[in-house]
Structure formats: C-alpha cells, structure tokens
Amino acid sequence: MKTYKIAAIPGDGIGAEVISAGVEVLNILAERQGSFTFHFDHFDWGGDYYIKHGRMMPDDGRDQIKDHDAILFGSAGHPKIPDHVTLWGLRLAICQPFDQYANVRPTRVLPGITSPLRHVNDKELDWVIVRENSEGEYAGVGGRVHQGSPLEAATDVAMFTRAGVERIMRFAFKLAQSRPRKRLTVVTKSNAQRHAMVMWDEIAVEIAKEFPDVTWDKMLVDAMTMRMVMKPQSLDTMIATNLHADILSDLAAALAGSLGIAPTANINPERSFPSMFEPIHGSAFDIMGKGVANPVGTFWSAVMLLEHLGEKSAADRLMKAIVRVTADGRFHTPDLGGTARTVDVTAAVIDALQDSNV
Ligand code: NAD
Ligand code: MN
C-alpha cells in the first residue's frame, strides 16, 4: 500500500490547534479510503523553538523535509517575537528556497455559511486567487542605513523577473482554463507603478496567446476590491502579485464568511521540492489556547494536499464531509457566529467521513 510521508509543522498559536485536528482527520480519511496511509513527521519549529534555540528552525531544517511528499503547515507568529522574524525564519524560509512560486487560494461560500455580502450564494462567489509567491514585493531585497539616527532610511525593493512573471502567468491561465468558466482577471497597479506592473501587463498579453479559449481581462488592484464586493459573480480566476494577492485573498476569505475557513496551497509545479498546504490565517493571538479556532481552513487545505498527491476520490470525500459539517450551524465556531469548539467541528467531520454516504 502506498504511504505518503507528510511533514507536519504546526508552528505557533492556533496553528498547533488546527494542525493536530488536520492530522487526525487525514488519518481517519486514509483508513476509510483503504488504499493509502499517511506517515506524519512532526516538527516543533516556530516561536517556542526560537526562544530556546535563537532560530525558528534548525540549520538543516529544509534538508529534513525536502524528501517528504508534502508539508502541512499551521502558522508562524509569536506574541513575544517580531512578526518579520517569525515569518522570514520559518514560512518564507521554506516557501522561497523550495520555489513554491504558485500560491493558490480558492474561495467559495460553503453551504450553511452566510457571506457578509447581501444575497450572495455559493454559485455567485466561486473564485481562485493565484498569488505570485516567490518574488515581487516580498523578495526580501532592501536594507536600512543610518539606523537610529535622524538620517535613517529604509527600502523594500519589489523585484520582478520576466521568468518569474511568465511562469506564474502561465500557471494562472492554465488553472483558469481547467475551470468551467475559463475566465481570468489579471490584477496589477500599472498606472502608478510604471515599471514592473507594466511588464506584468505585457507578459499577460503574450501568455494569453497560448490560451485562446480563456477569456481574460485586466483590473487595477484598488478597483478590484470594489469589484469583488459589488460584482462577485463577474470573477472566477484571478492573478496578482505577492502583496496584492495577499491582501485580496484576506478580503476574499472574509467575503466568503471567515478567514478561518480559507485554504492555501504553496505549489512547486515542477515538483522539484515538496509543496506546502496551510490555512490562510495566522496565529490569531486573540483566540489562541481557547480551543475555538475554526479548523475548516486546515481541512480544506488538506483537500488541496490530497489533490496535489493525485488522491482525487479522497479529496472529494473530505470536501463532501466538510460541506456537510458547515451546513449545520451547530458546528459553527465563534468566527462564524456559533458556539462550537475546534474539537466539535473536528469530531463532526470525522463522523461524516465514517458515514457510508460520504
Ligand atoms: P490572523 O489571521 O492570525 O488573525 C486575524 C483575525 O482572524 C483574528 O481576529 C483571529 O482571531 C481571526 N482568525 C484567524 N484565523 C481564525 C480561525 N481559524 N478561527 C477563528 N478565527 C480566526 O492575523 P494577524 O492577527 O494579522 O496575525 C497574527 C500573527 O500571525 C502575526 O504574527 C502574523 O505575522 C502571523 N501570520 C502568519 C501567517 C502564516 O504563517 N501563514 C499568516 C498570517 C499571519
Ligand atoms: Mn496573508
């Protein structure tokens, strides 16, 4: 029987709470499928590790996980450590060297969940946001001089390469092509940012020629926020830079009901390194340790992990179990206006997985 080796990195805050729920659900699912098993290796990297060892993960951390079939990640972010230290020390320290350049973020209004947008139902908000995940505004290029003096200066340089933009653009067109509506919206800010964003626009025109059956259009990112709210049904697949898509996807998650249900895949399409799956949300300092974190974002990320492994029927079964649970208000956590706890939602998904109709 096939065994998938998964690196589980819960990280900090509610990351730990939702990843243990995710591991539990994936193991039950594998039992139910009967055709594969999971072997999870657990890594205690993150903020507490940093406090003990002065770094978020060991020097050879990436070597320890580079041969796994996938990574299931929680969150990096600790109340006692600056956010840029935790993020760059763990999540970006994996994403960037593993060249997980395609960040994929599906958004739907799941059954039973109410969008803050009036009258919007699941068919009217069914999106995938593709976020460039290896360069751009988060390339890490820049520096500080004269620190602490009145002359102090700082730069963060947005670095866009033609190769980087072409590969993510092609990925987005291909993804749009695989969806029923075959529609892509390319988001930039090429009026104010007149160099790299203009290059994006030009590359979009070039790559579009390879996909004549995909209908595509262009939006400036500020106007895009309005379109997402006012005309959600006019959008399907979207592509934007690292920063723009980071912001748009939090908006998308909120429009679909909660940040707590939104999933992400950090994909290395060439499979030269493992891909990483994680809920969109962070460590949620305000609710950590309270047992009320919504685990649905992690479960949905596990669906994406299964799809990446080629386990389509297992992925479909888990998604079916998730929507059966979201449809029932008794299993809504406080972020969705309910009173359920993480363990209640997890138990409900496990129950659903054991039902022969799922
Ligand atoms: P956050 O996503 O942690 O929280 C934003 C809000 O959403 C909070 O009110 C929180 O309670 C709520 N929320 C998030 N996930 C939820 C869930 N599953 N269930 C219920 N409610 C949920 O964002 P933040 O407050 O900006 O960041 C906190 C820390 O997390 C920071 O250190 C930040 O850098 C880090 N962070 C890490 C990642 C990552 O590692 N992928 C992503 C985002 C933020
Ligand atoms: Mn974000």
PDB file of all heavy atoms in Angstrom, residues 10 113 125 271 275 302 313:
ATOM      1  N   PRO A  10       3.218  22.507  12.796  1.00  0.00           N
ATOM      2  CA  PRO A  10       2.101  23.295  13.342  1.00  0.00           C
ATOM      3  C   PRO A  10       2.471  24.753  13.581  1.00  0.00           C
ATOM      4  O   PRO A  10       1.632  25.630  13.433  1.00  0.00           O
ATOM      5  CB  PRO A  10       1.786  22.607  14.668  1.00  0.00           C
ATOM      6  CG  PRO A  10       2.543  21.309  14.669  1.00  0.00           C
ATOM      7  CD  PRO A  10       3.661  21.439  13.700  1.00  0.00           C
ATOM      8  N   ILE A 113     -22.981  28.718   5.416  1.00  0.00           N
ATOM      9  CA  ILE A 113     -22.230  29.896   5.848  1.00  0.00           C
ATOM     10  C   ILE A 113     -22.779  31.119   5.114  1.00  0.00           C
ATOM     11  O   ILE A 113     -23.081  31.050   3.915  1.00  0.00           O
ATOM     12  CB  ILE A 113     -20.718  29.695   5.588  1.00  0.00           C
ATOM     13  CG1 ILE A 113     -20.225  28.581   6.513  1.00  0.00           C
ATOM     14  CG2 ILE A 113     -19.948  30.991   5.799  1.00  0.00           C
ATOM     15  CD1 ILE A 113     -18.774  28.250   6.407  1.00  0.00           C
ATOM     16  N   LEU A 125     -20.165  33.333  -5.806  1.00  0.00           N
ATOM     17  CA  LEU A 125     -18.820  33.631  -5.330  1.00  0.00           C
ATOM     18  C   LEU A 125     -18.048  32.322  -5.329  1.00  0.00           C
ATOM     19  O   LEU A 125     -18.133  31.531  -4.395  1.00  0.00           O
ATOM     20  CB  LEU A 125     -18.875  34.271  -3.933  1.00  0.00           C
ATOM     21  CG  LEU A 125     -17.634  35.037  -3.479  1.00  0.00           C
ATOM     22  CD1 LEU A 125     -17.922  35.918  -2.285  1.00  0.00           C
ATOM     23  CD2 LEU A 125     -16.454  34.128  -3.194  1.00  0.00           C
ATOM     24  N   ARG A 271       7.510  20.099  -9.098  1.00  0.00           N
ATOM     25  CA  ARG A 271       7.688  19.074  -8.066  1.00  0.00           C
ATOM     26  C   ARG A 271       9.156  18.793  -7.761  1.00  0.00           C
ATOM     27  O   ARG A 271       9.538  17.679  -7.413  1.00  0.00           O
ATOM     28  CB  ARG A 271       6.944  17.784  -8.440  1.00  0.00           C
ATOM     29  CG  ARG A 271       5.433  18.027  -8.486  1.00  0.00           C
ATOM     30  CD  ARG A 271       4.653  16.795  -8.895  1.00  0.00           C
ATOM     31  NE  ARG A 271       3.238  17.153  -9.065  1.00  0.00           N
ATOM     32  CZ  ARG A 271       2.246  16.806  -8.239  1.00  0.00           C
ATOM     33  NH1 ARG A 271       2.486  16.042  -7.195  1.00  0.00           N
ATOM     34  NH2 ARG A 271       1.014  17.195  -8.458  1.00  0.00           N
ATOM     35  N   SER A 275       5.474  20.587  -1.965  1.00  0.00           N
ATOM     36  CA  SER A 275       4.588  21.740  -1.852  1.00  0.00           C
ATOM     37  C   SER A 275       4.051  21.808  -0.431  1.00  0.00           C
ATOM     38  O   SER A 275       4.093  20.828   0.313  1.00  0.00           O
ATOM     39  CB  SER A 275       3.446  21.629  -2.869  1.00  0.00           C
ATOM     40  OG  SER A 275       3.982  21.718  -4.176  1.00  0.00           O
ATOM     41  N   ALA A 302      -6.151  20.514   3.487  1.00  0.00           N
ATOM     42  CA  ALA A 302      -5.852  19.077   3.365  1.00  0.00           C
ATOM     43  C   ALA A 302      -6.475  18.510   2.090  1.00  0.00           C
ATOM     44  O   ALA A 302      -5.908  17.619   1.452  1.00  0.00           O
ATOM     45  CB  ALA A 302      -6.360  18.327   4.599  1.00  0.00           C
ATOM     46  N   SER A 313     -10.287  10.949  -5.268  1.00  0.00           N
ATOM     47  CA  SER A 313     -11.517  10.488  -4.601  1.00  0.00           C
ATOM     48  C   SER A 313     -11.463  10.783  -3.102  1.00  0.00           C
ATOM     49  O   SER A 313     -12.476  11.125  -2.489  1.00  0.00           O
ATOM     50  CB  SER A 313     -11.797   9.010  -4.906  1.00  0.00           C
ATOM     51  OG  SER A 313     -11.186   8.180  -3.949  1.00  0.00           O
TER      52      SER A 313
END
